[in-house]
Amino acid sequence: MNLPLFLLLFGATVLSMMVPALHALVLNDHDTSRAFFYASLLGLVVFTLIAVAHAGRIGREGPLTQLLSLFSAFVFLPVIMAVPFLEALPTTRFTNAYFEMVSALTTTGATMFKEPGRLNDTLHLWRAQVGWMGGLLMWIAASAILAPLHLGGFEVTAQAEPGRREPAAGIRNAPVDPRHRLIRVTKSLLPLYSGLTLVLFLLLLIGGEVPLVALSHAMSVMATSGISPIGGVQNSTAIGVTGEAVMMLFMIFALSRLTFSKDTITATQGGLRTDPEFRIGIAVIAGVPLLLFARHWIGAYDVAAEENLYEAGLALWGALFTVMSFLTTTGFVSEHWAEARSWSGLATPGLILMGLALIGGGVATTAGGVKLLRVFALYQNGVREMERLVHPNSVSGAGAAGRRLQSNGAFIAWIFFMLFALSLAGVTLLLTLIGASFDEALVMSVASLSTTGPLIEYADDAPIRLIELKMAAKYVLCGAMILGRLETLAIIALLTPNLWRG
């Protein structure tokens, strides 16, 4: 445990390559099995040599150093992950393989290969596995790395840092060793994350899904990566509404950290009943489909489609599941989403899906986007300003939900929103300069910064073929996905002189 964090992540990555190696061996795909086995073996040798050379050194690894290791992991680990991918698929280029791994590790889920048949089953498993590991990494990093630095959404909270407890009167909390915090959080969250994935996998398997698809979808839902070996859940012939309902149930874990962890002070102050993230998320999930359903109903009134209640119910369910999926930045589309669109002749509501992805899920979850807690801070500040217009001398109480925010939480949330908007404008400008149209550049920018890759296929009138982009555009999108995963404030924190003086 005295090894640097990046080296530990490197060791875990190369060791995980044994899973697809064994999978390919069982399928008698020896070329793919050798590609992953040799890459894993070579990586383990390199890891061992560096670990032996590092033995006896006790490095001073603080939170900022761990943040730098996390950033390095998102940049350089996909290079290692792309090696066996490229060996197993020699008909593609390294840039495409690197993009695929960055997209999976950041839980974005954008893919260069729109035709699922282009990849074999082992490569599909590897993509889903990398996405699952990326989700686990963010679960752990949010508590052990980002929270102590007041990043990742915790900059707007007053007392919700994971692992902190209210000290007794007159007693100051002793500083916690970052390594010990990382170990403690990993031991706490790894069994939970794995167990939830296993339960969802078994439920989908019982529902009639084939093992590879069930496992990939289970890992993708928990990681909110939206990776599917069949091009999406809408292409499944066995899952149906029941399977979508099960997946939607597990997407709740991306709405609020309190759904799976009690390591924040606010967990003892009302729980989910007073959690602003969960309440706003449920309101959006219920409100947006009802508005779409009302629009569909009004549009279908002239053609007497209101008499077909069964079709109306399927359209409502398609909107409900898709809204939940894109709000949590998973990006799965219901098999009845096409009915929800065409029932009243409504055009593709790409702006609605983009808006949901930009809002994002909860703080310290696998979801991307601006995050619901920041949206709540801005909303609460707006309501308070309107109250002051009517009663300038009034004094407002924070309430049970508002106590989670610090006094200047709305100001900090507004700063982040502006940085996010500047990042969106910058990525869009770069893509247009490289040669993409404005519509496509905007969709790709929102998809990468919000880590919602399926937006590239469903937000525009026609799916965008990423494989046809120029090489420079692909690397711009890679940088945008890393920026969207770590967030702008974390990247700015890496520029502090204190990190480089150490």
Side-chain angles (χ1 to χ4, degrees):
M1 290 296 102
N2 288 329
L3 296 176
L5 176 60
F6 177 78
L7 185 59
L8 292 175
L9 294 176
F10 171 77
T13 299
V14 295
L15 184 62
S16 68
M17 293 179 184
M18 288 295 182
V19 175
L22 292 175
H23 179 266
L25 183 62
V26 171
L27 297 179
N28 292 323
D29 187 356
H30 298 292
D31 291 338
T32 303
S33 179
R34 280 193 293 267
F36 280 95
F37 177 75
Y38 291 154
S40 177
L41 189 62
L42 179 61
L44 289 174
V45 170
V46 173
F47 170 79
T48 304
L49 292 176
I50 298 177
V52 171
H54 198 274
R57 300 181 182 179
I58 301 179
R60 296 181 301 172
E61 191 167 279
L64 276 175
T65 308
Q66 290 185 337
L67 181 62
L68 180 61
S69 298
L70 185 63
F71 173 76
S72 302
F74 283 114
V75 175
F76 298 110
L77 286 186
V79 176
I80 311 301
M81 298 171 175
V83 172
F85 190 96
L86 186 63
E87 288 294 321
L89 188 67
T91 56
T92 191
R93 296 181 179 180
F94 176 80
T95 300
N96 297 336
Y98 178 77
F99 178 95
E100 204 74 19
M101 294 297 100
V102 171
S103 176
L105 187 61
T106 58
T107 70
T108 302
T111 179
M112 290 283 178
F113 311 102
K114 291 297 183 182
E115 298 78 15
R118 177 79 186 276
L119 307 179
N120 58 40
D121 289 348
T122 302
L123 291 181
H124 282 301
L125 175 64
W126 179 235
R127 290 179 61 239
Q129 181 183 332
V130 171
W132 184 84
M133 293 189 298
L136 175 63
L137 179 61
M138 288 309 301
W139 255 28
I140 296 173
S143 302
I145 300 176
L146 298 180
L149 294 172
H150 300 286
L151 297 171
F154 294 105
E155 69 276 1
V156 302
T157 60
Q159 52 182 7
E161 179 183 324
R164 288 181 56 183
R165 293 291 181 267
E166 294 177 304
I171 300 178
R172 297 183 60 186
N173 286 335
V176 180
D177 185 4
R179 295 179 183 274
H180 293 165
R181 181 191 291 111
L182 189 64
I183 296 172
R184 184 178 69 247
V185 172
T186 303
K187 289 181 178 179
S188 174
L189 295 182
L190 178 58
L192 179 63
Y193 189 76
S194 304
L196 290 173
T197 306
L198 179 60
V199 170
L200 180 55
F201 165 67
L202 293 177
L203 291 176
L204 293 178
L205 205 60
I206 293 172
E209 195 60 271
V210 297
L212 174 64
V213 177
L215 180 60
S216 299
H217 287 172
M219 291 191 291
S220 298
V221 167
M222 291 306 303
T224 66
S225 62
I227 296 174
S228 173
I230 56 176
V233 297
Q234 74 277 9
N235 297 324
S236 174
T237 58
I239 189 169
V241 175
T242 304
E244 290 180 357
V246 171
M247 290 193 290
M248 184 175 175
L249 180 64
F250 280 79
M251 290 179 191
I252 293 179
F253 294 104
L255 291 181
S256 172
R257 184 176 182 80
L258 297 186
T259 56
F260 59 86
S261 177
K262 300 298 182 183
D263 60 356
T264 62
I265 297 175
T266 50
T268 62
Q269 298 178 352
L272 288 176
R273 290 186 297 105
T274 59
D275 182 51
E277 290 184 310
F278 187 77
R279 294 171 63 181
I280 287 183
I282 295 298
V284 172
I285 293 166
V288 173
L290 288 178
L291 291 176
L292 288 174
F293 183 71
R295 169 64 181 84
H296 293 166
W297 188 271
I298 294 172
Y301 184 79
D302 294 335
V303 295
E306 72 279 5
E307 298 176 0
N308 193 343
L309 296 180
Y310 177 74
E311 185 178 351
L314 292 180
L316 178 61
W317 170 255
L320 186 67
F321 176 84
T322 305
V323 166
M324 175 71 163
S325 180
F326 277 87
L327 180 66
T328 58
T329 69
T330 304
F332 281 146
V333 171
S334 171
E335 64 175 329
H336 301 293
W337 176 243
E339 299 175 19
R341 291 197 327 253
S342 62
W343 186 44
S344 64
L346 190 67
T348 303
L351 287 177
I352 296 177
L353 300 181
M354 291 170 63
L356 291 169
L358 284 176
I359 293 174
V363 169
T365 65
T366 55
V370 175
K371 301 295 192 330
L372 290 168
L373 189 61
R374 296 190 181 103
V375 174
F376 171 74
L378 295 175
Y379 163 77
Q380 192 178 47
N381 183 70
V383 171
R384 175 56 185 154
E385 290 300 321
M386 287 189 291
E387 289 178 354
R388 293 180 62 185
L389 290 175
V390 182
H391 304 287
N393 298 324
S394 63
V395 178
S396 175
R403 282 196 293 268
R404 184 172 179 180
L405 304 177
Q406 57 174 307
S407 57
N408 60 341
F411 177 72
I412 300 176
W414 180 252
I415 291 177
F416 174 85
F417 187 80
M418 288 296 98
L419 290 174
F420 189 91
L422 289 175
S423 302
L424 179 61
V427 175
T428 304
L429 181 60
L430 285 175
L431 291 175
T432 53
L433 289 176
I434 293 172
S437 66
F438 176 77
D439 293 345
E440 293 183 348
L442 183 60
V443 170
M444 290 187 291
S445 300
V446 173
S448 55
L449 289 175
S450 65
T451 66
T452 315
L455 272 177
I456 295 174
E457 183 174 355
Y458 300 107
D460 206 356
D461 293 336
I464 302 172
R465 293 185 60 83
L466 296 177
I467 201 167
E468 297 176 357
L469 296 177
K470 297 180 180 179
M471 184 179 298
K474 295 175 183 178
Y475 282 112
V476 168
L477 289 178
C478 288
M481 288 187 286
I482 296 172
L483 178 62
R485 182 73 276 180
L486 281 181
E487 297 184 349
T488 312
L489 290 177
I491 304 298
I492 294 176
L494 291 175
L495 304 178
T496 178
N498 295 331
L499 173 64
W500 306 104
R501 289 197 190 110

